[in-house]
Amino acid sequence: GWKDAINTTIINFNNEKMQITWAARELFPNENVSFSYTFDEGKDKVWKPCPTYLLDQGYNSGCLFKTEGPTLGISIRNNNGSKELFSKKLKSDFYIKPNRPENVTFFWKENTVTVSCNKPKRAVKCLRLELQYKSTFDKGWQSRTSTCCSVGDQGFDPRKCYSFRVRLKRLVPYCNVVNYSSDWEAETFWMNGTLLDSCDDDIASQSNTVIVLSCSLAMLLMLLILLILLCKWQRLQKSVMPAIPDAKYIFADLINDHNGNFQEWLDKTDHIVLQTKLEYEEPESIIEAESQQEDEDRDKQGPLEKIFIFSGTAENSDLKAPQLACLIPASNNICSSAGFQILMNDDMYVTL
């Protein structure tokens, strides 16, 4: 029973090489043991010495040899081989560790990625293809497993860079007693169906884009603030320090037209100003002046008692539908000749 209690690690590399290891310093601290193996059965067993030892600080801690059959017998003896310390019989097919996937291909269509590899020559039914991936925004790996030798998943964002890796696994417990998987195939980087050297380039490009956009927005904001401040400064400058007209534009005709004759230029300027004032004086101002004159005349005549307005047609006159107004003083019951006015339709008064 003591011989079967020794812990050993058994690995059959793709059913091509066997590796048996043990804890040499713990199990046999003061002795350098020997190892032998056989793939034969029955009475005709032929024990073969270990061709290649694995060492741990100078002590034999394992053996590496070629796989020659499904049934394996191992034996660990003392240094001279006279005493057996451990022996075991096992099925080498239950300890297979597959090789890495060969000829791995990626197919990216829209948001779906499919990964496939070449089928191994033996025990394909016992193998599963595992796919792991993560984007630049994921902290951990996401895993998908399918039968050998194709696996896929969907939901991939074409704007993100993804890391992919694949490996082959043996089914447990139907094919293996130990959960052995192959080493990971070399990690690859993909973005929207394009193979990249690294996702660091994508992160750097995103960072550069963010920096450029931030700087552009900052510059636009600064320009907007400067324009607002400039408008306010111009308004403040006009209110505090009004613009002084340039004399060269005001006296240009004095120099060009009058050869510096100030009196001649002054007379002409006054004449032009007076003429312009008379031509462009508004009719409302004239009417307002006449109204003020009439009010003064009424004040001289005294308070009015009654106002009569007569409508009719004036004989021998070109005026149409004139109105005759009779201003009757309070002290007189008849209209004097000085109290008659004709009110025209165009709001003009004619005194008779």
Side-chain angles (χ1 to χ4, degrees):
W2 177 82
K3 293 181 180 180
D4 295 334
I6 293 178
N7 187 20
T8 58
T9 302
I10 304 168
I11 303 176
N12 184 358
F13 292 102
N14 200 40
N15 209 24
E16 297 173 357
K17 286 186 177 182
M18 297 291 302
Q19 177 180 291
I20 313 294
T21 58
W22 56 87
R25 292 185 298 170
E26 296 177 4
L27 299 175
F28 316 108
N30 299 319
E31 187 173 5
N32 201 4
V33 297
S34 62
F35 178 86
S36 58
Y37 67 96
T38 182
F39 285 96
D40 299 327
E41 298 182 12
K43 297 181 180 179
D44 299 330
K45 290 181 181 180
V46 177
W47 291 93
K48 299 179 181 180
C50 177
T52 305
Y53 277 105
L54 304 176
L55 303 178
D56 181 11
Q57 296 183 359
Y59 288 90
N60 297 333
S61 61
C63 182
L64 187 63
F65 53 95
K66 184 179 179 180
T67 304
E68 298 176 3
T71 303
L72 172 63
I74 59 176
S75 176
I76 299 177
R77 296 175 176 271
N78 58 3
N79 191 20
N80 56 17
S82 60
K83 182 180 180 181
E84 187 176 69
L85 303 176
F86 172 74
S87 64
K88 187 175 183 179
K89 184 179 179 181
L90 52 95
K91 291 290 185 178
S92 61
D93 291 345
F94 286 167
Y95 297 88
I96 294 177
K97 180 179 180 179
N99 289 338
R100 293 178 179 179
E102 296 180 355
N103 194 21
V104 178
T105 58
F106 286 80
F107 180 72
W108 189 310
K109 183 178 181 181
E110 295 179 354
N111 66 338
T112 303
V113 175
T114 303
V115 183
S116 58
C117 67
N118 290 346
K119 289 185 178 181
K121 296 179 180 180
R122 292 177 291 183
V124 178
K125 294 182 179 180
C126 289
L127 296 175
R128 295 292 181 267
L129 183 63
E130 182 182 8
L131 169 67
Q132 286 191 348
Y133 60 88
K134 64 178 179 179
S135 70
T136 52
F137 302 96
D138 297 330
K139 295 182 179 179
W141 291 94
Q142 301 184 52
S143 182
R144 296 291 183 271
T145 304
S146 181
T147 56
C148 188
C149 292
S150 179
V151 60
D153 199 3
Q154 59 184 4
F156 293 92
D157 191 343
R159 297 169 297 179
K160 296 180 180 179
C161 180
Y162 290 88
S163 304
F164 292 94
R165 62 182 185 181
V166 292
R167 67 179 178 181
L168 290 171
K169 300 177 63 176
R170 289 273 296 187
L171 286 177
V172 177
Y174 305 104
C175 299
N176 263 32
V177 295
V178 182
N179 189 13
Y180 282 148
S181 301
S182 70
D183 295 333
W184 290 104
E185 182 62 17
E187 187 175 346
T188 56
F189 308 95
W190 294 80
M191 182 176 179
N192 195 20
T194 303
L195 180 63
L196 304 177
D197 294 334
S198 174
C199 283
D200 296 335
D201 298 336
D202 180 53
I203 297 174
S205 62
Q206 292 179 359
S207 301
N208 293 334
T209 303
V210 171
I211 292 172
V212 170
L213 290 177
S214 301
C215 292
S216 301
L217 291 175
M219 292 180 64
L220 290 176
L221 183 61
M222 290 179 64
L223 288 175
L224 181 61
I225 294 173
L226 288 174
L227 288 175
I228 294 174
L229 293 177
L230 181 60
C231 293
K232 289 188 175 181
W233 169 251
Q234 290 180 350
R235 189 176 301 174
L236 179 63
Q237 189 177 18
K238 288 181 180 181
S239 61
V240 175
M241 295 179 294
I244 300 174
D246 195 347
K248 68 179 181 180
Y249 298 105
I250 299 176
F251 301 103
D253 53 349
L254 172 62
I255 300 172
N256 298 330
D257 300 338
H258 301 283
N259 296 324
N261 190 335
F262 182 78
Q263 185 62 40
E264 181 182 349
W265 172 79
L266 185 61
D267 294 340
K268 183 178 180 180
T269 304
D270 292 341
H271 175 70
I272 293 174
V273 171
L274 179 58
Q275 183 179 358
T276 304
K277 182 177 182 181
L278 292 175
E279 290 178 355
Y280 293 95
E281 187 175 4
E282 296 182 355
E284 288 79 1
S285 301
I286 301 174
I287 295 172
E288 184 178 358
E290 292 179 356
S291 300
Q292 292 178 358
Q293 183 65 30
E294 291 175 3
D295 293 339
E296 292 178 359
D297 295 341
R298 292 175 185 176
D299 292 339
K300 291 179 181 180
Q301 294 175 1
L304 300 178
E305 183 177 359
K306 295 181 180 178
I307 298 177
F308 294 93
I309 300 176
F310 301 95
S311 298
T313 305
E315 296 180 357
N316 302 326
S317 176
D318 294 336
L319 301 176
K320 294 181 180 180
Q323 292 181 349
L324 182 62
C326 179
L327 307 179
I328 304 175
S331 60
N332 200 345
N333 292 328
I334 60 174
C335 295
S336 62
S337 61
F340 286 92
Q341 289 184 340
I342 295 177
L343 176 62
M344 306 302 294
N345 289 338
D346 56 353
D347 295 338
M348 293 183 63
Y349 291 88
V350 178
T351 302
L352 301 178

